[in-house]
Amino acid sequence: RQRVTLGFTDHLSDRFPLSCSRSPPSPSSLIVLLSDWGARDRLMAHSAAACFLPLLFTALFLLSSCSFGSGIPTRYDGFYYSGEVGDWKDVIVVDAFLDPLCPDSRDAWPPLKQVVRLYSPRLVVIVHPFPLPYHNNAFVACRALHIANKLNASSTFPLLELFFKYQERYYNGPTKSMSRSAIIDDMAKLANGAVGNFSEFLSGFEDWKTDMAARTSFKYGCTRGVAGAPFFFVNGFLLPDAGSALDLETWKSIIGPLLKNQREQECITDKCSA
């Protein structure tokens, strides 16, 4: 009787592959293996473990990655284009997830600014920088926005508009032969027009806090199910046609009825209180 040993021997691997993705053993191989029932049992257990362990490690990784206990930010994520942190009871809140190097985000920005001018101060717009992974330089651009916001909050949106205006120079193709440091240096020169103080802005890329702030914005978008840009949420609800720019008339059709309903409810409340 041929002795079967447990482990990755040539005899064993040839007759009973342990990979879940490989084909099952041939009948002749099974005859040899079944002649030793103890070895067969040990082998089946080992094979099951080989299939199960990758799944277990993947689950543990996902659980550890989704642990937010120590990663909750001290303030709500995003840059306030209109409104401010405070009582949101009587306003419409728009969360806009934008990639500064995304053409659709660029096209979505002018109509969003128009709707702010139209409905302010009853409309709060919060911009969350969300770097799309297939835009190679998007995370650096989002980090640049956090640096600008830290140095001078009033320069954040001027820098965002500079990125929209000159975003093609940071596309994957034009920068494929550039180093990361060269791209950062070029972005710092671009930001100098909005933020000023080139050296201080450039040193912001060495500050781990700006790196964490950019990561937090991305992770927050992931928790909201954001999978592209632009993504818009109104009072916490995702708008349809996510990933596409919305024109002014579409925004008016969304915000206008909400504010009208608010005013009607306020009138009813006032009459009841009277």
Side-chain angles (χ1 to χ4, degrees):
R1 183 175 67 179
Q2 187 174 6
R3 183 172 179 268
V4 179
T5 57
L6 184 63
F8 290 93
T9 64
D10 293 337
H11 170 76
L12 182 59
S13 59
D14 289 342
R15 289 162 174 75
F16 205 126
L18 298 182
S19 171
C20 294
S21 60
R22 295 177 62 181
S23 58
S26 64
S28 59
S29 300
L30 283 176
I31 293 174
V32 175
L33 291 171
L34 289 176
S35 62
D36 187 337
W37 287 95
R40 186 207 60 173
D41 293 339
R42 292 194 301 271
L43 183 60
M44 292 299 291
H46 188 67
S47 179
C51 298
F52 175 73
L53 284 177
L55 299 177
L56 176 61
F57 287 133
T58 301
L60 291 175
F61 172 78
L62 292 175
L63 288 174
S64 62
S65 300
C66 297
S67 177
F68 297 105
S70 60
I72 299 176
T74 57
R75 61 182 295 276
Y76 189 72
D77 179 75
F79 309 127
Y80 286 76
Y81 181 73
S82 67
E84 58 185 16
V85 179
D87 187 5
W88 289 351
K89 182 179 64 174
D90 297 323
V91 298
I92 306 298
V93 179
V94 174
D95 287 285
F97 291 83
L98 305 178
D99 180 344
L101 302 186
C102 170
D104 291 323
S105 295
R106 176 194 60 198
D107 296 341
W109 182 239
L112 187 57
K113 292 199 300 180
Q114 287 180 298
V115 80
V116 168
R117 289 194 293 267
L118 185 62
Y119 294 115
S120 181
R122 302 297 298 273
L123 183 67
V124 173
V125 172
I126 308 168
V127 173
H128 306 270
F130 189 79
L132 297 176
Y134 37 84
H135 296 156
N136 294 343
N137 304 309
F139 183 82
V140 179
C142 290
R143 188 175 180 182
L145 293 176
H146 281 283
I147 295 172
N149 190 69
K150 182 178 180 180
L151 295 176
N152 180 6
S154 63
S155 69
T156 307
F157 289 103
L159 178 57
L160 176 64
E161 293 183 348
L162 282 175
F163 276 128
F164 285 153
K165 183 177 181 180
Y166 298 104
Q167 67 175 207
E168 292 183 4
R169 65 199 274 186
Y170 300 114
Y171 285 173
N172 297 353
T175 59
K176 64 181 180 181
S177 60
M178 296 176 63
S179 65
R180 176 57 62 92
S181 60
I183 294 170
I184 290 176
D185 187 75
D186 191 82
M187 286 186 178
K189 293 177 182 177
L190 178 70
N192 194 51
V195 184
N197 201 331
F198 171 82
S199 59
E200 190 174 4
F201 183 86
L202 190 60
S203 65
F205 284 97
E206 300 177 2
D207 183 358
W208 66 271
K209 292 183 180 179
T210 63
D211 179 65
M212 292 305 298
R215 294 186 188 203
T216 297
S217 293
F218 176 74
K219 291 178 181 179
Y220 177 66
C222 292
T223 66
R224 299 290 299 272
V226 176
F231 264 47
F232 298 107
F233 294 79
V234 175
N235 286 348
F237 285 81
L238 177 64
L239 294 184
D241 298 324
S244 302
L246 303 180
D247 58 26
L248 178 60
E249 293 304 315
T250 302
W251 276 117
K252 289 168 65 175
S253 69
I254 295 169
I255 305 299
L258 294 176
L259 290 176
K260 180 181 178 181
N261 291 339
Q262 274 193 357
R263 287 191 292 267
E264 291 176 352
Q265 292 177 2
E266 289 171 358
C267 292
I268 294 174
T269 303
D270 291 341
K271 289 181 181 179
C272 293
S273 61

